Amino acid sequence: MTLVVATLLLFAAGPFVLWPLIKTPAEESK
Amino acid sequence: MLGYLGAGTLLAALVMGGFSAVLSFWAGWQQNAVMVQVGRRAFYAATAMIVLAGAVLEWALLSHDFSLAYVTEHTDLSVPTALVAAGFYGGQEGSLLYWVLVLGVLGSVSLVASASLGVRLAAYAAGVMAAIVSFFLVVLVLVASPFDLLPVTPPDGLGLNPILRDGGMLIHPPVVLAGFASFAIPFSFAAAALLAGRTDEAWIAHTRRFALMAWSLQTAGLVLGMWWAYHVLGWGGYWGWDPVENVAFMPWLATTAYLHSSQVQEKRGGLRAWNFGLVILAFLLVIFGTFIVRSGVVPSVHTFAISEIGPWFLAFLFVCIVFSTILLAARSQGLRTEAEPAAPVSREGAFVLQNLLLIGVVAVVLWGTVLPLVSGMLGQQRVVGVSYYERAAGPLFLVLLAVMAAGPLLPWRRAAGRASLRALTWPAGAAAVVLAAAVVAGVRSIPALIALPLVAAVAATCLTQYARLGRRWWRVPGLLIRRRRRYGAYLAHLGLAVLVIGIAASHFWQQEKDVTLEPGQQVTVAGYSLSYAGSNVRQLADHTELVAPMQFGTSTLEPARATYAGLGGQSLTRVAISTTPLADVYVVLTGVDETGSASFRIFINPLVTWIWAGGAIIIVGVVLGNVGEQASELAAVRRRVPALAR
C-alpha cells in the first residue's frame, strides 16, 4: 500500500519536475 | 489509511529528494542549465510531498486516528484541540518531520531567490540542501516514522506530557525547531560556494540574509524558551545550562560571530576562510546538538525518549565533518586573504576579538555539555553545574560587552586616532556614572559592578550613534531608512543591553523565601506583601487543580498543583506570577496539608520582564535593519564581482 501511494505520487509529480526537458526541445526546434 | 498515505508520501519525498541531490550535483558539475532546473524542481516536488505528509499527520492528530502509534503516544481525547495540533512536533518522529518540512519550505524559498547566482552555485546549493533533506527522510522512513501503525487500535491515546499542556507549547518549539532547521540553508550556500570555487564576496551577500533569518528565529526561539521555562517549570529561573539549552545556544553564538565577521569580508575582503568555517560550524553544532539531545547520551530534562536515531545522526555528523573539512582544505588557496592586515585597535580588530570571545564561549559550553559523555567513556561520569558555566563563560561575556561598547566607535583599517578616543568618552562617562551610582546604592558584588557599567557603556555607544543623526533632524528619517542596516544593528545592540540588564538584575538580586501559611496569614518578601486566602479544588477538562490563592495588592495570584488522573496521577506545579516593570512576584505552591495551611516558595525576580522586552527589541532591530536591504546589497556585489552578473 505504501509503495502504491509513493509510486502514484512520483508519477503525478513527473510533469512538473520534468517540465524543463519537455519544453526545451520544442523551443530549440523553433 | 492515513498511515499508508503518510508513509507513502514520505517514501516518495525521499526518492524525489535523493533524485534532486544526485541530479543537482551532476548538472552543476556539467553546467547543464536544463538539468539544474529539473534538479531544483525535484527539490520543490519533494518539499510539496513533505508538506502533504505533514498535512496527513496533522489530519490524523485532529481526527484522533489512534491506529497511528504516534497519535496514540502523544495525544488523547481530553487534550484541547490546539495542543492536539501541536502534538505534531511534540514527539521525536513528528518533530523530525516538522524540521524537514521547515527545511524544505525555507530551502525552496532560498533556491527561488538564488536562481540568479549562476548555474553552478545554485545547483550545488540545491544538491547540498536536497542531500540534507534526504538524510532526514531516510531517518523518518526507516527508523522514526510518525506513520507507524499499531496492531490494535486503542479507544483512547496515552496523552500529551502534562508539562507540554501549556500555551507556550504553541510558540516555543515551532520557532526554535525552525531556527535549528534553517541553519542548514547558509551551510548549503557556503558548501556550494566552496564546491563551485566561488569564494568571493558574492556568497556572503546571498548567505547573510538566510544566516540572519536562522539567527533571528533562533534568537526568538531561545528567548521564548527562557520565557516558557520561567513560566512553567517553577524553579524561579529561566536558564539552567541544560544540554538542550546549550545545543540551541551554540549555533546561535557561531552565527552571531559570522554576522559580525562577514562585515570584515564585505568591507575589506578579509577573514574568508574564517567566515566559511563559522557557517559550517553552526550547522555542525546543530547536527551535533540533535545527536546529543535525541540519542539520550547525556542526561537532560528535555531529552526525548531514548531512541534509535542516535547512531544515524552520529554517522551524519561524521559525514558532514569530513565533507566540510575536505572542502575547506581543497579550497584553501582561494581562501587566502588579499587584504593588508589591519591595525589591532581598529574595527576589524574589534570584530576579530569579538569572534574569538564568542568561539571561546562555544568551547566552554561545548565542553560542559559533552563532559558527561567523554568522562563516561573514560570511566566515571562527571557532570558540571551552573557555577562552571558562570565562572568560565561569565568573564568572556563581560569582555564581549566591553568590545560591544568600544568596537562600533573604532575606525576601519587604521589604528584608533584621537577622534575615536574622543568618541569613547560618552560610553566611558556612562559607565563611570553607573559604577558610582551602584557603589553608592550599596552594590558590592564585583561581577555586578563590572557588568552594569559595561551595559551602560554599550547603551551609550548606540545612543551616541543615533544622537549624531539628530543634528539635522529633517534628514533623520531618510538617513535611518538609507542606512537601516547600520541603525537596525544598533537597535539590536540596545535590545541586547536591555536583555543583559534583565539577566544581571534577576541573577544578582533575586530573593527567595520558603513559607508555610495558615489561611488569612500574611508574608512579606523584599517589601512585597502577600496574604494566603485558603485553598480550593477546581475540576477542569483533563485535570484537577489544587489552588491556593494569594492576595497581592488588588490582584489575586493563583499558584496551584495540577493532577492528571488520566496520566497515572502525574502532577505538576502551576506558577503564579505578577509582573511589574521593576520586579516579578513569582509564587510556587509546594504543598497543602489537611489543616488547610499551605507551603509556598516565593521569589522576587527584579527586571525579568526586561529580558523578554530586550529579545523583542533585538528581533525588531534585525528585521527593520534588513527589510529590502538584500536587493541593494546584491546589486553592489554584482558591480564588484563581474562573475555574478552572468
Side-chain angles (χ1 to χ4, degrees):
Chain A
M1 188 71 176
T2 303
L3 278 174
V4 172
V5 172
T7 310
L8 284 173
L9 275 171
L10 289 170
F11 189 75
F16 170 76
V17 175
L18 300 175
W19 181 248
L21 288 172
I22 296 167
K23 71 164 187 184
T24 308
E27 280 180 1
E28 277 173 359
S29 66
K30 274 179 195 170
Chain B
M1 187 60 209
L2 285 176
Y4 291 118
L5 184 58
T9 310
L10 280 183
L11 184 60
L14 170 60
V15 173
M16 199 56 96
F19 172 67
S20 170
V22 173
L23 187 70
S24 295
F25 282 125
W26 178 81
W29 181 49
Q30 296 285 321
Q31 302 219 46
N32 183 331
V34 173
M35 285 306 191
V36 167
Q37 278 189 48
V38 174
R40 198 182 302 148
R41 279 170 172 257
F43 187 89
Y44 301 151
T47 300
M49 289 167 186
I50 295 166
V51 171
L52 180 61
V56 170
L57 180 60
E58 199 56 80
W59 182 255
L61 284 161
L62 291 173
S63 62
H64 299 297
D65 186 343
F66 296 122
S67 66
L68 267 66
Y70 187 80
V71 178
T72 303
E73 283 162 16
H74 298 98
T75 63
D76 64 30
L77 294 169
S78 72
V79 175
T81 308
L83 291 176
V84 170
F88 187 107
Y89 45 76
Q92 174 91 278
E93 297 84 357
S95 69
L96 285 175
L97 178 57
Y98 175 79
W99 180 321
V100 76
L101 189 146
V102 171
L103 181 52
V105 171
L106 294 180
S108 296
V109 171
S110 74
L111 289 179
V112 169
S114 74
S116 63
L117 269 182
V119 171
R120 193 168 260 189
L121 207 158
Y124 287 155
V128 176
M129 249 178 257
I132 298 169
V133 164
S134 300
F135 163 74
F136 275 89
L137 287 167
V138 165
V139 174
L140 279 165
V141 168
L142 295 183
V143 276
S145 173
F147 298 108
D148 281 347
L149 296 171
L150 289 170
V152 180
T153 303
D156 198 356
L158 301 173
L160 188 67
N161 184 338
I163 212 138
L164 302 180
R165 296 186 187 206
D166 180 88
M169 178 68 181
L170 303 176
I171 337 169
H172 163 63
V175 175
V176 82
L177 278 170
F180 244 51
S182 54
F183 284 110
I185 294 167
F187 169 79
S188 301
F189 281 98
L194 285 172
L195 278 169
R198 290 274 297 277
T199 54
D200 49 59
E201 281 67 53
W203 78 276
I204 291 263
H206 194 71
T207 309
R208 190 176 162 274
R209 65 172 147 172
F210 296 110
L212 261 175
M213 186 187 61
W215 185 89
S216 305
L217 281 169
Q218 196 72 351
T219 306
L222 285 168
V223 175
L224 283 170
M226 289 158 78
W227 175 83
W228 195 23
Y230 180 71
H231 283 79
V232 166
L233 295 182
W235 57 280
Y238 39 78
W239 188 266
W241 296 104
D242 183 82
V244 167
E245 294 166 349
N246 293 349
V247 301
F249 191 36
M250 287 188 285
W252 182 89
L253 289 167
T255 309
T256 307
Y258 165 74
L259 289 174
H260 291 84
S261 65
S262 62
Q263 293 177 45
V264 178
Q265 189 173 349
E266 282 177 309
K267 297 260 187 202
R268 304 277 326 280
L271 300 181
R272 285 183 175 186
W274 179 258
N275 285 327
F276 276 108
L278 285 175
V279 173
I280 290 168
L281 176 69
F283 178 68
L284 295 179
L285 286 169
V286 164
I287 300 300
F288 167 77
T290 311
F291 162 67
I292 284 281
V293 171
R294 290 167 187 258
S295 61
V297 293
V298 294
S300 155
V301 292
H302 294 68
T303 308
F304 286 82
I306 293 173
S307 72
E308 296 161 12
I309 70 165
W312 289 81
F313 272 86
L314 190 61
F316 186 58
L317 177 66
F318 178 74
V319 170
C320 290
I321 291 174
V322 170
F323 171 72
S324 310
T325 311
I326 292 175
L327 260 185
L328 277 173
R331 297 292 180 203
S332 58
Q333 284 290 338
L335 294 173
R336 293 245 168 90
T337 296
E338 290 138 23
E340 57 190 275
V345 186
S346 63
R347 188 74 68 89
E348 292 94 320
F351 278 135
V352 169
L353 178 58
Q354 178 251 26
N355 266 239
L356 292 175
L357 289 163
L358 284 169
I359 296 304
V361 178
V362 171
V364 165
V365 177
L366 185 64
W367 278 114
T369 310
V370 298
L371 186 71
L373 181 62
V374 175
S375 61
M377 286 193 291
L378 297 175
Q380 194 190 0
Q381 194 179 52
R382 294 173 67 92
V383 180
V384 291
V386 172
S387 67
Y388 156 77
Y389 293 101
E390 286 176 359
R391 277 183 295 178
L396 298 177
F397 281 126
L398 291 178
V399 183
L400 267 169
L401 282 176
V403 175
M404 261 178 90
L409 301 173
L410 299 176
W412 285 98
R413 194 179 316 196
R414 62 199 156 77
R418 201 168 282 173
S420 326
L421 293 177
R422 252 205 315 277
L424 283 171
T425 51
W426 281 104
V433 169
V434 169
L435 178 63
V439 171
V440 169
V443 177
R444 293 295 175 264
S445 152
I446 299 294
L449 286 175
I450 300 172
L452 292 180
L454 286 175
V455 172
V458 170
T461 295
C462 299
L463 293 174
T464 53
Q465 299 299 317
Y466 286 110
R468 277 188 190 175
L469 278 169
R471 288 183 194 154
R472 295 198 185 105
W473 62 266
W474 61 91
R475 290 178 55 200
V476 169
L479 273 174
L480 274 177
I481 292 170
R482 250 198 328 281
R483 298 187 188 163
R484 57 187 174 278
R485 187 171 147 186
R486 182 175 172 185
Y487 291 105
Y490 287 133
L491 188 58
H493 277 205
L494 266 178
L496 193 77
V498 171
L499 187 144
V500 173
I501 288 174
I503 291 178
S506 55
H507 180 78
F508 293 119
W509 296 293
Q510 182 186 57
Q511 298 208 31
E512 181 185 338
K513 190 170 189 175
D514 287 323
V515 288
T516 300
L517 301 174
E518 303 284 337
Q521 263 189 324
Q522 186 173 319
V523 62
T524 301
V525 187
Y528 294 90
S529 296
L530 300 115
S531 56
Y532 169 48
S535 64
N536 59 73
V537 175
R538 269 199 301 239
Q539 182 64 47
L540 288 110
D542 56 347
H543 65 279
T544 54
E545 275 186 1
L546 173 61
V547 190
M550 292 194 106
Q551 200 63 33
F552 172 59
T554 53
S555 59
T556 305
L557 296 178
E558 294 193 332
R561 282 201 78 76
T563 305
Y564 291 79
L567 297 170
Q570 282 189 60
S571 78
L572 73 159
T573 190
R574 291 258 189 264
V575 182
I577 304 171
S578 173
T579 297
T580 70
L582 279 183
D584 280 9
V585 178
Y586 186 106
V587 185
V588 183
L589 175 66
T590 52
V592 177
D593 69 16
E594 58 277 7
T595 64
S597 68
S599 301
F600 300 93
R601 178 165 290 169
I602 301 168
F603 297 90
I604 305 300
N605 294 323
L607 307 187
V608 166
T609 321
W610 292 35
I611 299 175
W612 327 133
I617 296 171
I618 293 172
I619 302 288
V620 168
V622 171
V623 171
L624 286 184
N626 290 278
V627 171
E629 180 69 9
Q630 186 65 21
S632 59
E633 230 174 89
L634 263 181
V637 172
R638 279 209 185 90
R639 279 196 297 276
R640 288 206 301 272
V641 187
L644 248 194
R646 280 199 307 249

